[in-house]
Every structure is written in C-alpha cells, then in structure tokens.
Amino acid sequence: MRSRPSVLIMLLMVAALVLSACAPSAAPSVAPAADSAAAPAAGDGPIELRIAWWGSQNRHDRTIAVIEQFEQLYPNIDVVFEFAGWADYWTLMSTQAAGGNLPDVMQQDYARLEEWVSRGLLAPLDDYVADGTFDFSNVSESSLAGGRLGGKLYGVNLGTNSMMIVIDADKLAEAGMEIPNPDWTFSEFEQVATELHEKLGIYGFSGALSNEQLWKNVYLSLGQWVYSEDGTALGYEDDQPFIDYLNMVKRLQDAGVTQTREQELATGGGSVETDLIVTGRSAMTFLWSNQIVALANAAGEGRNFILLPMPRPEGGASANYLKPSMFFSITSQARHPKEAAMFIDFFTNNIEANETLMAERGVPISSEVRTALEPMLDVSQKQMFDYIASIESSVSPIPPPDVAGHADVINNVYWPLAIDPFLFGQISVEEAMRIFRAEANAVLAETAR
Amino acid sequence: MSEALSAPAQAPSASHKGRPVRRRKASFRHDNLMGYLFISPWLIAFFAFTFIPIIASFLLAFTNYDVLNPSWGWVGLQNFERMFTRDPRYIKALQATFFYAFMAIPLRLIFALAIAMLLNTNRRMVSGYRAAYYAPSIVGGSVAIAVMWREIFGRDGLVNAILGADIAWLGNPNTAIWTLIILAVWQFGSPMLIFLAGLKQIPREFYEAAAIDGANGWQQFWRITLPLLTPIIFFNLVMQLISGFMVFTQAFIITGGAPLDTTLFYALYLYQRAFVSLQMGYASAMAWVLLAIIAIMTALVFRSSSYWVFYGSQEE
C-alpha cells in the first residue's frame, strides 16, 4: 500500500505551495521597503518632517518642487516624503497606521476622512488655527467646511472640485443644437443625448451613468443623503427617484445612445484619456472639474468643450456640490505637528508655491492665490476656474463624508448584487433596489458594530 | 540541546556496540549542524516570510482584524459561517473558480500532450520549436501578457478587427471567462516539457512490435502511449490543479472579476476582501478554506489514481 504515506506528503506539499502563495495577503509588510525608497537622504537638520501623498507623475514633480521651496525657507526642517498611486497609497498608509509610524502630514480624501478620524488617526487642527499658524483670512468657510467633523477641523482643502457634464461644442454645433440650460433635468438630458446620437450617429454620452456618484447626486438634489447620520443604514426611504433614474440609464443603453454595461466593461479603463469623447466617438461625458485639463491635453489642439452642471431629477435642487478634491491632514502619530501645520499653511497661502502647483489639485481655496494665478492659466484651467465660480452660489450643501462601510457597500453590494444584474437584464429594477437596500443595510450595520 | 539529543541515542547503541559507534554518530550530528548553517539564509527567510505568516493567517482567520480599527478581537467561526451563508459573492467566486479549473486544466493538458507528440520527432529544427512553444508559459503569467490580452479582446482589439465585428468579449458574461481559459491553454509549456520527457521514456520497441502486429497510429496512441504516460499525466494534473485554483493575475488585470462576477476567481476575491475592503480576518479565513478545497481536490485525484495510473513496474 503506497497510497497512505504519499497522500500525507502530498497534503503537506499542497499546504506549503498554497500557503506560501497566500502568505503575502495575510501579513502585508510593505512599509519598510517603501520607507527606504521614499526618503532622499536624511539631512542634519534638527527636525525631520514626513509627508505623504498619492497622485500622478505631474503631481509628484510639482509637490517635490514646493517641498524644496519650503526647505529653503526653513533650513532647519528636513522634509522626507513618500508618494504612490491611489490604491497603493492607501495600502501603504493602512500598514503604517497599524504599525504606528504614520507620517506627520498625509494627503486625505473626503471619502475616507470620517473613517480615519473615527479611528483616532488624525489630529484636530483648531489649535493651530487659533495660534495663527494657519492663516485662513482669504478662505471662505464653505471651502473649509468639508474638512470639519463634529465641529473640529481635520483636513485643509487643497483645491475645490465639482462634477460636470462636458459637451463637445463642435459636435453640438454640427447637430445644430442649442447649449442646454444649466438647470437641466434628467429628462432634458435624455433628450439631448438621444438627439445627438440620432443626428450624428455617435454615442450621445460616454460616461458610466450607473456610477455610484449619480446615485449620490440624485438624493443630494432631493435634499436627502444616501447614508443615515450614524452610518448604520441607508439614509433615504424612497427608492423611486433612483428607480426612475436607472430606468433612464437602461433606456439610453438599449437605444444605443450610450454604451451598454457590457461594452463599458469591455472598453475598460475609466481614465480620462480613454474616454470616447477624446476620439470624437461620443458627444458628451462627465468628469470632475479638475479633469478637464487632462481631457483637453488628451484631445489635442483645436477642440472646444462646454462645461455644464450635472442634470437633476424633476423638481430637485442643484445636483452639484463643491467637493474638496483632497486634504492635507496631520496624523495623530505626528512627531512635529507644529511644523506640519506650517507646511500646510505654506502649501495653501504661499503664492510662489501655488505658482508651482498651478491648481493641479483643483481650484485653490485662497482668494488671493486665485487672483495671482488668474493671468497664468491656460484655456482649460481658465474654464475650470470659471466653472467653479459659476456654480459656487447655487450648489447644494456638501454632504457628509462617506461612512466607514461605503467602499464595502459599493464593491460588494452596489455593483455585483444590484446594478450589474439589472443592467444585464437578470432582474427588474425594483428587485435590484430591494436587494440593494437589504444587503447594504446589513453591511452598514455590521461595519458600525 | 545537543546533550539532550545525544543522551537517548547513546543509550541503546552503547549497550550493543560501544564507543566507536557513538563517535561516528556525534560527527554525523556535527555535519548536520554545518548543513543547517549552510541553508540558514533560506531557513531564516522561510520562518520570517512563510512559516510565521502562515501561523498568523491561521490565527487571523478567527478574528475581525481590519488593519485600521484598533478594537478587533476573536469572532470564533463567524468568518467561516459568513462565507457560506451570508456572502453571495463568495458562492459566485467558487462557481467561477471551479468552472475555470474544470475547463482550463483538461484543455491545457490535452493541448500540451498534442504539441509534445508533435515535437517528439527527429525533424530538423525541433529543438528550436520546443523553445518557441515553451516561451508562452514563461511570459504568459506576466502582467504584460495580461495587458496585451486585454487589448486583443478589447472592443477595438485584434479579434474584433479580424472578425470585422464589435463584440464585447470581456463584457459579456458568456464569453469573458473563455478569454481567460484561452490564455491559460496558451501557457501549455511546462506540462508540455514534462510530457515530452515522458514520451522519450517509452521504449521504441513497443511501437515497433505494435507496427509489426499491424496496429495503426491511433491504436498505438491509445494502447501504448497513453497507458505508459499515465504517471506523467497524473503528475501534471496535480500540479495544474494546485495552480489552477490559485489563478489571480490574469483575472485581476484583464477582467477584474467582471462581468457579473463570472471571472471573480477565488484568489481575486480574497485579494479584494483583504486589500480593498481591508477585511484581513475574513480574507485569512478564505485562504484556509481555499487550502482545504485544493487539498480535497488533490486527495480525490490521488484516490482515483489507483484506477487509472499505470506504473510499468507494477504487476496487475
């Protein structure tokens, strides 16, 4: 009988093979490697300030240049920095948080701010506002509001953003159509998209209309919010507005005005540069306002774009709000919070620093900085500034940051259990919303526990 | 430590054969120590990066550890219970993984065997072909090939260009997983090499004798090649089974689990839970269930082997 011992050996072999492959996922140990890679030679200054951010190469170059300016101004401070792409950044920061060695200053996102604050990882900044380290005399309260939680300031807004519809002006003229009213509703939007598609034979619209941002917009416009205040359940009772919206999305897909969900997945990407509007295969799309710069770059010379606010449900208020594109926050594990605050203030108010940054993170919050930058802007940057200025007075108030279970709800419920089964025709929209409500509430309740 | 070990070993040997034996045993242990010292870099790395993480993941499987939250603790078997009762995506991940394994593995082995038989000749340039056909399995698991695959099957990709069609291969729930299976079959190189070695082991006389008896190529394949190759098939099957259930890179880059979770392979879902949702406890529990699944599947193959694997030396 040779089978018994060999089965045992085989099981051991399998265990070694499988578990050694799974091991990295069980115990991430990214931090040391990233630390050593990020630091450019420790100087002999008495203070070492650590800063981390996510972004593209463009942002890294500009930010590093500003850090050098800061170091020249304060020779006793040596700034050590680390940066990464969006997804890696959060893995890196989570690992450092677990290890208790977060940097002094970290870039934060509106969607994660509450989670990080609720876990005690960020320090309130109000003391440094009171003692004058931060100078917010040229900053409106509405631009700071996004960084406030429970009355305390946890993040300084690095630029203001809002969503927008981008229309290819030449396609609109080719179809002989008027620029839509900025207060347009979804039914007007549907008409415009359909007409563009029928007259030009291209997609009327190329953004992913089923994106969760639109779900949020619908309820924001109706004066509600998608999550309840304590984050343990959905915050609205009536599924009908979103059902109406999803029915419109399905109509547009079925009519070929937009890509079907199937085609969206096959086209993939999701980056500005791969949007079909770049190659003229679509007449409209939606973007965050700072992305117009990247879109204009990708589309090349001689293209004209019109920026409009997001459409709203019938009878709703503005579906737009001013979103802080990202924050700088001081972590609770910071060793030099005072110097960290000085750096953030430099980033916010120093004209020279902002001439280097050139609003890459969105429209700056300081009015003085905005005025100084005005003459230096190129066409698309100017459009972005003008767009934000044009909606500033009419936008809806900023909704609360996403609750702790948000990512889980979107990744494990919204797409796989509700939106995709509906758009692939497996279930009705009513069924999709019923499942979504039940499963999302279960996830939210569990996360809050 | 060496004293504690030598004491019991010494007792029986001393009573039988006396001193010389003991000295030999001692120097043998000394040699062992040297050996361990030589492989200590590997041993240290093994304990630091494999053994300890394995233990840690086993313990984490019974917790709700999520990296950021300081107040985590034991949850008993909750993670395992949730997997099978309250996580519809987990069931989809199982379905996708089993479908992939049961399609891709047999197809890859059949393909590998077919090519191996073609290359098992004495034609000119045959070694060049062998290298050429092995190349895909070296690069096939790479990120670059996965990105290329995305382009080939994309809406503006090569396949649609050739067919003159606009088919969303990667977006259609019926076709998306097949693009991954085709990629897997294309990486037939390593089982092919092993098959080739196996084919060369089969004595030529068997074929000559069969030819004299009037057996055609087809009969020779079924009566000689396949039976004598069963140990090799068995080995390949086990290896492919293990790697097949752990497939990750291709789905991660090409489809991301979409559409409708039809390509949400187990390892991909595990990754998403661990590093997107940061539910390390739940992900660790999933890893251990995967181990159990692979162990069971492999054990089944081993059990079945007595019915179909033929070792030349065995008398039936």
Side-chain angles (χ1 to χ4, degrees):
Chain A
M1 268 305 280
R2 62 204 303 281
S3 86
R4 189 153 300 157
S6 60
V7 164
L8 247 178
I9 290 168
M10 168 272 298
L11 279 175
L12 281 172
M13 264 178 51
V14 171
L17 267 173
V18 174
L19 291 173
S20 58
C22 290
S25 52
S29 52
V30 215
D35 263 6
S36 58
D44 49 10
I47 286 175
E48 187 181 279
L49 192 65
R50 288 175 57 212
I51 295 171
W53 69 89
W54 74 82
S56 58
Q57 190 57 45
N58 190 331
R59 177 174 304 161
H60 303 331
D61 295 342
R62 290 175 190 275
T63 310
I64 293 167
V66 170
I67 286 174
E68 280 161 6
Q69 292 170 11
F70 181 75
E71 283 175 328
Q72 271 176 3
L73 203 62
Y74 301 98
N76 65 323
I77 300 179
D78 180 41
V79 179
V80 176
F81 53 84
E82 42 199 314
F83 53 77
W86 165 263
D88 293 338
Y89 175 82
W90 289 107
T91 310
L92 184 66
M93 288 299 117
S94 306
T95 317
Q96 294 191 356
N101 58 341
L102 279 171
D104 299 276
V105 178
M106 73 176 285
Q107 197 166 293
Q108 261 293 347
D109 179 63
Y110 192 62
R112 313 240 172 170
L113 195 64
E114 173 154 318
E115 189 172 356
W116 281 67
V117 169
S118 73
R119 287 171 180 178
L121 294 167
L122 301 181
L125 309 177
D126 302 85
D127 290 349
Y128 303 106
V129 180
D131 74 7
T133 313
F134 285 117
D135 174 13
F136 289 143
S137 52
N138 296 315
V139 178
S140 72
E141 171 55 29
S142 73
S143 340
L144 287 177
R148 278 196 212 286
L149 280 173
K152 287 183 179 165
L153 187 68
Y154 285 98
V156 177
N157 182 1
L158 299 181
T160 301
N161 254 345
S162 195
M163 285 181 78
M164 61 184 184
I165 301 278
V166 179
I167 307 179
D168 187 328
D170 304 317
K171 299 283 183 207
L172 197 69
E174 195 184 326
M177 290 163 62
E178 298 284 313
I179 298 175
N181 186 330
D183 297 337
W184 57 343
T185 62
F186 281 123
S187 59
E188 289 171 74
F189 166 80
E190 186 179 3
Q191 253 175 355
V192 171
T194 310
E195 205 176 329
L196 280 165
H197 166 67
E198 282 167 357
K199 285 190 173 157
L200 302 174
I202 57 176
Y203 289 118
F205 188 87
S206 50
L209 284 172
S210 46
N211 191 288
E212 78 268 13
Q213 279 299 339
L214 274 294
W215 167 59
K216 292 176 172 181
N217 282 4
V218 166
Y219 286 101
L220 180 74
S221 167
L222 297 173
Q224 303 174 46
W225 186 233
V226 289
Y227 297 116
S228 69
E229 242 169 76
D230 57 4
T232 56
L234 294 181
Y236 57 92
E237 292 303 318
D238 187 7
D239 288 331
Q240 198 56 42
F242 195 51
I243 288 179
D244 293 342
Y245 174 76
L246 284 177
N247 278 326
M248 178 199 83
V249 173
K250 187 92 167 89
R251 275 197 305 276
L252 288 173
Q253 295 198 352
D254 290 346
V257 177
T258 66
Q259 298 191 92
T260 59
R261 179 72 183 137
E262 194 173 310
Q263 289 164 332
E264 264 169 34
L265 287 169
T267 308
S271 77
V272 182
E273 288 80 4
T274 56
D275 196 302
L276 295 178
I277 199 172
V278 170
T279 49
R281 289 161 72 191
S282 145
M284 296 194 286
T285 190
F286 65 13
L287 292 176
W288 286 98
S289 53
N290 64 330
Q291 291 174 314
I292 184 65
V293 179
L295 177 72
N297 278 340
E301 296 284 312
R303 298 285 296 273
N304 301 296
F305 296 108
I306 299 165
L307 314 186
L308 279 186
M310 296 303 287
R312 55 184 71 174
E314 210 70 51
S318 168
N320 277 87
Y321 61 93
L322 295 182
K323 178 187 180 287
S325 65
M326 56 203 79
F327 303 97
F328 266 152
S329 291
I330 299 179
T331 68
S332 55
Q333 299 166 3
R335 296 209 196 109
H336 309 291
K338 170 82 177 168
E339 285 74 16
M342 283 158 60
F343 177 80
I344 299 174
D345 182 67
F346 179 79
F347 214 83
T348 308
N349 285 317
N350 188 288
I351 305 272
E352 205 186 317
N354 276 283
E355 281 172 358
T356 309
L357 293 168
M358 268 327 274
E360 190 274 330
R361 284 175 169 86
V363 177
I365 57 171
S366 155
S367 57
E368 200 183 328
V369 168
R370 281 201 300 266
T371 319
L373 293 189
E374 201 88 60
M376 303 166 66
L377 301 174
D378 69 20
V379 178
S380 53
Q381 284 168 330
K382 178 102 178 41
Q383 270 191 306
M384 167 174 94
F385 275 59
D386 289 347
Y387 173 70
I388 295 294
S390 76
I391 60 170
E392 211 160 16
S393 58
S394 63
V395 287
S396 289
I398 185 165
D402 291 329
V403 297
H406 172 71
D408 212 0
V409 167
I410 297 306
N411 293 325
N412 292 319
V413 182
Y414 183 85
W415 290 111
L417 303 185
I419 300 298
D420 277 350
F422 165 60
L423 291 177
F424 275 100
Q426 287 189 332
I427 56 177
S428 73
V429 65
E430 287 80 11
E431 176 74 359
M433 285 302 102
R434 195 189 58 72
I435 294 173
F436 178 66
R437 179 167 288 275
E439 296 288 332
N441 279 339
V443 167
L444 291 167
E446 187 151 345
T447 317
R449 184 180 43 80
Chain B
M1 175 173 154
S2 71
E3 224 167 20
L5 278 176
S6 64
Q10 179 191 347
S13 60
S15 66
H16 283 294
K17 288 169 185 169
R19 274 160 190 271
V21 175
R22 202 188 91 194
R23 225 177 21 236
R24 210 186 67 211
K25 285 222 164 179
S27 76
F28 176 67
R29 259 194 308 278
H30 179 71
D31 288 350
N32 270 2
L33 181 66
M34 286 306 288
Y36 284 122
L37 276 178
F38 272 117
I39 61 167
S40 63
W42 184 86
L43 280 179
I44 292 166
F46 171 77
F47 277 98
F49 298 115
T50 304
F51 186 73
I52 293 173
I54 286 176
I55 301 300
S57 107
F58 183 74
L59 297 177
L60 283 177
F62 300 96
T63 69
N64 58 2
Y65 178 58
D66 70 353
V67 183
L68 289 181
N69 202 333
S71 64
W72 55 284
W74 299 104
V75 295
L77 293 172
Q78 237 177 58
N79 285 331
F80 297 93
E81 182 226 323
R82 172 174 165 205
M83 230 177 275
F84 292 103
T85 58
R86 281 178 291 137
D87 189 352
R89 295 193 82 201
Y90 181 79
I91 306 300
K92 293 229 177 159
L94 279 181
Q95 286 170 350
T97 312
F98 272 91
F99 183 82
Y100 173 85
F102 285 136
M103 289 297 160
I105 295 170
L107 283 174
R108 183 193 277 184
L109 289 183
I110 290 169
F111 206 65
L113 180 57
I115 302 288
M117 299 209 30
L118 284 177
L119 293 181
N120 186 28
T121 56
N122 287 323
R123 294 204 185 89
R124 276 171 48 209
M125 300 274 294
V126 78
S127 52
Y129 284 123
R130 274 175 210 159
Y133 283 116
Y134 185 64
S137 68
I138 298 173
V139 298
S142 70
V143 171
I145 291 295
V147 172
M148 183 187 89
W149 219 251
R150 230 205 119 77
E151 296 306 315
I152 289 178
F153 285 97
R155 277 190 77 194
D156 299 324
L158 181 70
V159 176
N160 277 344
I162 290 172
L163 295 178
D166 180 13
I167 301 169
W169 300 102
L170 299 172
N172 187 313
N174 297 319
T175 56
I177 196 166
W178 285 99
T179 65
L180 300 179
I181 292 173
I182 292 170
L183 177 57
V185 173
W186 183 58
Q187 300 164 45
F188 56 85
S190 44
M192 178 197 77
L193 274 194
I194 298 168
F195 275 136
L196 202 54
L199 287 171
K200 292 201 176 297
Q201 293 295 313
I202 301 175
R204 293 234 58 87
E205 300 89 73
F206 289 3
Y207 293 105
E208 282 159 16
I212 291 168
D213 287 346
N216 62 26
W218 194 241
Q219 287 167 324
Q220 289 180 11
F221 174 75
W222 284 106
R223 299 290 170 86
I224 299 172
T225 312
L226 211 54
L228 289 178
L229 215 52
T230 45
I232 310 288
I233 296 175
F234 174 61
F235 173 79
N236 269 336
L237 184 60
V238 171
M239 296 311 287
Q240 296 299 322
L241 202 64
I242 294 171
S243 63
F245 273 96
M246 287 159 51
V247 58
F248 172 76
T249 318
Q250 294 85 339
F252 178 64
I253 292 168
I254 299 173
T255 59
L260 287 173
D261 290 344
T262 49
T263 62
L264 185 72
F265 295 143
Y266 200 105
L268 176 61
Y269 188 45
L270 192 160
Y271 170 86
Q272 287 183 357
R273 282 288 180 181
F275 289 103
V276 181
S277 305
L278 293 178
Q279 294 161 352
M280 293 293 170
Y282 189 54
S284 296
M286 284 178 64
W288 281 87
V289 174
L290 177 61
L291 169 70
I293 291 172
I294 295 180
I296 290 169
M297 294 305 298
T298 317
L300 285 176
V301 172
F302 265 79
R303 267 295 156 87
S304 76
S305 70
S306 58
Y307 297 103
W308 61 274
V309 176
F310 172 72
Y311 292 98
S313 58
Q314 279 176 342
E315 294 301 324
E316 206 48 55

